[in-house]
Amino acid sequence: MRSHAYGANHRIRQAIYNTRQIVRLLVHLWEKLSQKTRVIATLTQQLGRPPTQEEIAAHMSASVWSC
């Protein structure tokens, strides 16, 4: 009986831990997306045209692959 309680408790703790990781990832992605949106708006205003992925990456100090 005791091992069943331990197993259930372990699964609950693991689910909470996994959920926290997902939430942190989503917050990180949301921040990057917001930053990219601001950079695109700023560069569009400065350049008078939509910026290229290379211009966005250079302004965000990132590689083109991560944009």
Side-chain angles (χ1 to χ4, degrees):
M1 194 72 159
R2 189 175 178 128
S3 64
H4 292 299
Y6 172 79
N9 195 6
H10 177 73
R11 285 190 296 275
I12 290 169
R13 286 183 184 180
Q14 191 63 40
I16 291 169
Y17 178 76
N18 290 341
T19 302
R20 286 182 182 168
Q21 287 181 326
I22 291 169
V23 169
R24 277 190 228 122
L25 176 63
L26 293 175
V27 169
H28 173 73
L29 291 175
W30 179 258
E31 289 171 351
K32 280 292 188 187
L33 182 59
S34 296
Q35 179 189 13
K36 185 177 179 183
T37 302
R38 287 191 305 272
V39 166
I40 290 171
T42 301
L43 289 175
T44 300
Q45 189 174 21
Q46 290 174 353
L47 300 172
R49 60 174 172 77
T52 64
Q53 291 294 322
E54 289 80 10
E55 292 167 332
I56 295 167
H59 201 274
M60 291 180 68
S61 300
S63 67
V64 175
W65 299 107
S66 66
C67 290

